[in-house]
Amino acid sequence: MSHSADRDRVGRSNIRSFEGRSPIVAEDAWIDETAVVVGDVTLGAESSIWPQCVVRGDIHRIEIGRRTNIQDGSVLHVSHDSRFMPGGAPLIVHDGVTVGHQVVLHGCEIQDHCLVGIGARVLDRALLQPRTMLGAGSLVTPGQVLEGGYLWLGAPARRARALTDRELEYLDYVADNYVRLIARYREGGGPD
């Protein structure tokens, strides 16, 4: 990660400092020019943030690992330290995670190789263990823990069944496909 590249990116109007904290973005990560990234945010190697996303690390930190994709229209935020939530709730999204379109992640933790389906909501201090698939439109309530290796559906999310071998393979396929998509955008597929 190049610090000069970080300074150059923070100068963009969509990548902003807040109270002296600036996003740290891996050199090979991708942030669409219509996405907004603010404050104490770390974006790992080969990760991507797509159009119209908001990643707001203003009142706590957001950490996004390697080879993770945050798809169009998603909102990522945190909770601050208060008497209502001692210590607050950072947002930590680990490696190889796919976050579908219009997802809300708020102060939760998504571990390696998960897929969060379109329009899902994951709330404060919830945890998705590695290799969890969360269905479209599902709601993970505050503090809820989703066991890895399963498909979870509904509001609140309930364990539906074990993932098939094909679904487990798909978790890695989607993450890899988004890494390839970054390269296509860099080669001229994105805005001029």
Side-chain angles (χ1 to χ4, degrees), residues 74-104:
S74 291
V75 176
L76 282 60
H77 197 227
V78 290
S79 287
H80 69 283
D81 178 23
S82 71
R83 65 187 176 99
F84 302 102
M85 187 167 291
L91 173 59
I92 302 169
V93 183
H94 291 260
D95 298 339
V97 174
T98 293
V99 176
H101 309 292
Q102 296 186 333
V103 165
V104 174

Side-chain angles (χ1 to χ4, degrees), residues 55-176:
V55 181
R56 188 156 55 92
D58 50 3
I59 56 175
H60 214 312
R61 75 186 188 283
I62 295 176
E63 301 172 10
I64 299 170
R66 299 180 69 253
R67 301 175 70 83
T68 286
N69 61 88
I70 311 297
Q71 295 176 17
D72 313 61
S74 291
V75 176
L76 282 60
H77 197 227
V78 290
S79 287
H80 69 283
D81 178 23
S82 71
R83 65 187 176 99
F84 302 102
M85 187 167 291
L91 173 59
I92 302 169
V93 183
H94 291 260
D95 298 339
V97 174
T98 293
V99 176
H101 309 292
Q102 296 186 333
V103 165
V104 174
L105 300 180
H106 201 281
C108 57
E109 183 174 356
I110 313 296
Q111 295 185 333
D112 294 343
H113 308 288
C114 290
L115 185 146
V116 181
I118 293 169
R121 307 291 186 252
V122 185
L123 303 182
D124 289 347
R125 296 184 176 166
L127 172 67
L128 274 63
Q129 294 179 344
R131 299 202 176 276
T132 294
M133 187 178 284
L134 179 63
S138 295
L139 171 67
V140 182
T141 58
Q144 188 176 3
V145 176
L146 275 54
E147 184 180 356
Y150 292 92
L151 171 66
W152 293 75
L153 300 171
R158 290 186 172 81
R159 191 170 75 183
R161 59 172 173 75
L163 294 177
T164 65
D165 289 342
R166 185 174 174 86
E167 288 167 333
L168 289 166
E169 183 181 347
Y170 183 71
L171 297 175
D172 294 326
Y173 168 80
V174 175
D176 292 343

